């Protein structure tokens, strides 16, 4: 068999302890934005056996019950008993939220008349922090995402689906998936290895678990890419009864590679969940994806990576860079010229263009922030403008 290049990405279910924390943080953010679109939120969450803690900073006119939101969110995932890893109705829960630092707030907000004049039009909103963010798109899948990441997310989403539907009632909320894809050059050709770990109750035998997960989760997702040499590892550690926050502590922002592109490109290090859109860790990452997806959808390149970097309190980025990995229809310098001409990376402009002051963030938390329909940064509404600019270089 040909010696293909192998690449692996992973995903985790909404019941993974880190993702429990991410979803609670984003649910708090959504509640604040629903009541006050100008809320400044940086919500962090941690969890362990019989315990949830919410902490961070929030400045908002919203009057929300953070404890009730946290409990309701964990219950919606399926954590309704200690046997599953957490009973969200009865566990200890602490809230430690402070107001946002005025030093940060003043450096970010250039014009306090934004509430009266409309912050959506406040062009000089400064970045909420320094740092660099990355965007990416490629032609491997219809989502314009890496195949390994797409398959991993589809496996964990399917695992949650068969659990919540009652089809496999012995499943519990925690779980992970990992897919290794074989590449011929830059072209994905087959699924080489599929790893799936699912938390379960005591009643199910290992043989039934393996058979059911292969039939109802793995095959519907991976069969189109599998062949006779594809390897399947189902619960390779054996027993997986103790899971969720009881099996492992959870913290917000610890699944940043799962949230983005499955390790295919670099990551700037900033997490997403719990942060309002003035935090460029989140909003600029979303915008970088929007730019790359539109460029690839327009045929500017088969693969495109974009890096953007900011200084805290400054509206304009300190740098922009693109890399088409040799697939560009024009040189990378020309592609960068197009990006600079057509896209505005100032935080205020990003918030306005993507309409980010809405309570949309709970929909982003699980199974990747990119490649899902219905999110504004997944729109490809700039392709015609990009094509017109490309024509000038052809």
């Amino acid at each position: 068999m040909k010696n293909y290049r192998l690449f692996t990405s992973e995903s985790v279910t909404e019941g993974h302890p880190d993702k429990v924390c991410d979803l609670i943080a984003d649910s708090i953010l959504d509640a604040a934005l629903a009541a006050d679109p100008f809320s400044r939120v940086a919500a962090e969450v941690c969890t362990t056996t019989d315990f949830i803690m919410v902490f961070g900073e929030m400045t908002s006119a919203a009057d929300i019950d953070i404890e009730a939101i946290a409990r309701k969110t964990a219950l919606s995932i399926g954590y309704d008993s200690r046997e599953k890893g957490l009973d969200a109705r009865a566990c200890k829960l602490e809230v430690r939220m402070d107001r946002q630092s005025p030093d940060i707030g003043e450096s970010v907000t250039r014009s306090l008349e934004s509430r009266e004049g409309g912050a959506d039009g406040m062009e000089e909103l400064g970045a909420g922090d320094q740092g660099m963010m990355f965007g990416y798109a490629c032609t491997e899948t219809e989502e314009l995402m890496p195949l390994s990441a797409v398959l991993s997310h589809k496996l964990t989403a399917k695992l949650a689906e068969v659990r919540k539907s009652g089809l496999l009632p012995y499943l519990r909320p925690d779980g992970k998936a990992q897919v290794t894809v074989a590449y011929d050059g830059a072209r994905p050709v087959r699924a080489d290895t599929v790893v799936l770990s699912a938390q379960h109750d005591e009643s199910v035998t290992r043989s039934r678990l393996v058979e059911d997960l292969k039939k109802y989760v793995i095959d519907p997702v991976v069969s189109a890419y599998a062949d006779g040499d594809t390897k399947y590892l189902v619960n390779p550690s054996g027993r997986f009864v103790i899971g969720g926050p009881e099996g492992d502590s959870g913290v917000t922002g610890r699944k940043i590679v799962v949230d983005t592109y499955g390790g295919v490109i670099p990551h700037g290090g900033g997490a997403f969940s719990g942060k309002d859109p003035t935090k460029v860790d989140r909003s600029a990452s979303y915008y970088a994806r929007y730019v790359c997806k539109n460029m690839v959808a327009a045929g500017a390149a088969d693969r495109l990576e974009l890096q953007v970097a900011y200084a805290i309190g400054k509206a304009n980025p300190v740098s922009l860079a693109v890399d088409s990995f040799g697939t560009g229809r024009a040189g990378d310098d020309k592609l960068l010229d197009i990006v600079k001409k057509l896209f505005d990376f100032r935080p205020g402009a990003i918030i306005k263009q993507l309409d980010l002051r809405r309570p949309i963030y709970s929909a982003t938390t699980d199974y990747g922030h990119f490649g899902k329909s219905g999110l504004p940064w997944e729109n490809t509404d700039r392709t015609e403008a990009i094509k017109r600019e490309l024509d000038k270089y052809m």
Side-chain angles (χ1 to χ4, degrees):
M1 187 171 63
K2 185 171 180 178
N3 187 23
Y4 294 120
R5 177 179 66 90
L6 302 179
F7 191 86
T8 303
S9 297
E10 74 159 346
S11 180
V12 298
T13 66
E14 61 208 65
H16 184 282
D18 294 332
K19 275 294 152 197
V20 173
C21 296
D22 284 345
L23 187 57
I24 290 172
D26 275 337
S27 298
I28 291 166
L29 172 63
D30 277 353
L33 291 174
D36 177 6
F38 297 95
S39 295
R40 295 281 177 83
V41 181
E44 306 286 352
V45 182
C46 62
T47 183
T48 188
T49 304
D50 202 34
F51 179 73
I52 298 172
M53 182 176 183
V54 181
F55 56 103
E57 298 81 42
M58 180 166 67
T59 302
S60 175
D63 182 16
I64 61 175
D65 188 335
I66 291 176
E67 178 176 343
I69 293 168
R71 293 190 187 277
K72 180 180 180 181
T73 301
L75 280 170
S76 74
I77 294 169
Y79 282 116
D80 54 11
S81 71
R82 280 292 302 273
E83 288 73 24
K84 294 179 181 178
L86 183 76
D87 184 351
R89 294 168 296 195
C91 71
K92 184 177 181 180
L93 197 151
E94 294 186 9
V95 177
R96 297 286 187 270
M97 294 290 287
D98 296 321
R99 289 181 64 84
Q100 182 189 45
S101 162
D103 290 345
I104 295 175
E106 289 171 10
S107 71
V108 170
T109 306
R110 298 297 190 190
S111 174
L112 291 180
E113 63 267 17
S114 58
R115 284 180 180 266
E116 293 76 23
D120 288 342
M122 192 173 70
E123 300 294 346
E124 293 307 315
L125 179 73
D129 202 352
Q130 71 176 50
M132 63 279 193
M133 302 85 210
F134 289 87
Y136 183 73
C138 62
T139 56
E140 290 182 27
T141 62
E142 65 180 12
E143 296 90 349
L144 301 186
M145 288 283 290
L147 179 60
S148 55
V150 168
L151 292 179
S152 297
H153 289 316
K154 287 184 176 180
L155 283 172
T156 50
K158 191 69 173 177
L159 186 60
E161 177 188 316
V162 299
R163 171 178 63 89
K164 289 185 168 183
S165 70
L167 178 62
L168 302 182
Y170 55 78
L171 291 177
R172 291 176 175 176
D174 201 354
K176 282 186 172 185
Q178 183 175 285
V179 178
T180 302
V181 172
Y183 285 83
D184 183 2
R187 181 176 64 89
V189 294
R190 55 184 291 274
D192 181 83
T193 305
V194 178
V195 182
L196 185 66
S197 295
Q199 186 191 13
H200 57 87
D201 65 28
E202 296 270 11
S203 66
V204 65
T205 64
R206 177 165 175 77
S207 60
R208 182 186 173 191
L209 178 73
V210 172
E211 180 181 351
D212 284 353
L213 293 182
K214 180 71 164 55
K215 178 179 179 180
Y216 295 111
V217 180
I218 295 174
D219 286 347
V221 172
V222 181
S223 60
Y225 304 94
D227 58 25
D229 294 314
T230 299
K231 298 176 284 293
Y232 302 96
L233 301 173
V234 178
N235 278 29
S237 66
R239 173 186 166 96
F240 188 6
V241 173
I242 299 172
E246 183 180 10
D248 191 11
S249 62
V251 183
T252 44
R254 202 156 57 176
K255 287 291 175 282
I256 57 176
V257 173
V258 170
D259 287 345
T260 52
Y261 305 100
V264 170
I265 65 165
H267 195 293
F272 299 158
S273 292
K275 297 179 180 179
D276 75 79
T278 66
K279 280 72 172 176
V280 285
D281 278 341
R282 186 167 212 164
S283 56
S285 295
Y286 290 167
Y287 198 64
R289 163 63 177 173
Y290 173 70
V291 173
C292 288
K293 187 173 183 182
N294 274 271
M295 292 286 283
V296 170
D302 293 334
R303 298 172 62 200
L304 192 70
E305 171 193 303
L306 184 148
Q307 186 205 57
V308 56
Y310 293 89
I312 187 168
K314 302 298 183 181
N316 288 300
V318 298
S319 69
L320 282 171
V322 299
D323 186 349
S324 68
F325 307 95
T327 70
R329 301 299 180 267
D332 286 354
D333 56 337
K334 303 298 191 301
L335 298 184
L336 182 59
D337 287 343
I338 294 173
V339 168
K340 288 179 176 179
K341 181 174 182 179
L342 297 181
F343 297 95
D344 190 342
F345 284 82
R346 292 176 297 172
I350 291 173
I351 291 170
K352 179 179 180 180
Q353 184 167 349
L354 299 183
D355 194 12
L356 294 182
R357 294 195 184 276
R358 299 175 290 150
I360 60 173
Y361 297 99
S362 296
T364 71
T365 315
D366 298 315
Y367 316 115
H369 290 242
F370 306 123
K372 296 188 290 192
S373 61
L375 298 173
W377 48 91
E378 295 297 319
N379 292 336
T380 52
D381 53 354
R382 305 298 300 278
T383 56
E384 292 305 315
I386 293 168
K387 289 177 181 177
R388 288 193 293 271
E389 293 301 316
L390 275 172
D391 286 344
K392 298 176 183 178
Y393 297 111
M394 306 306 286

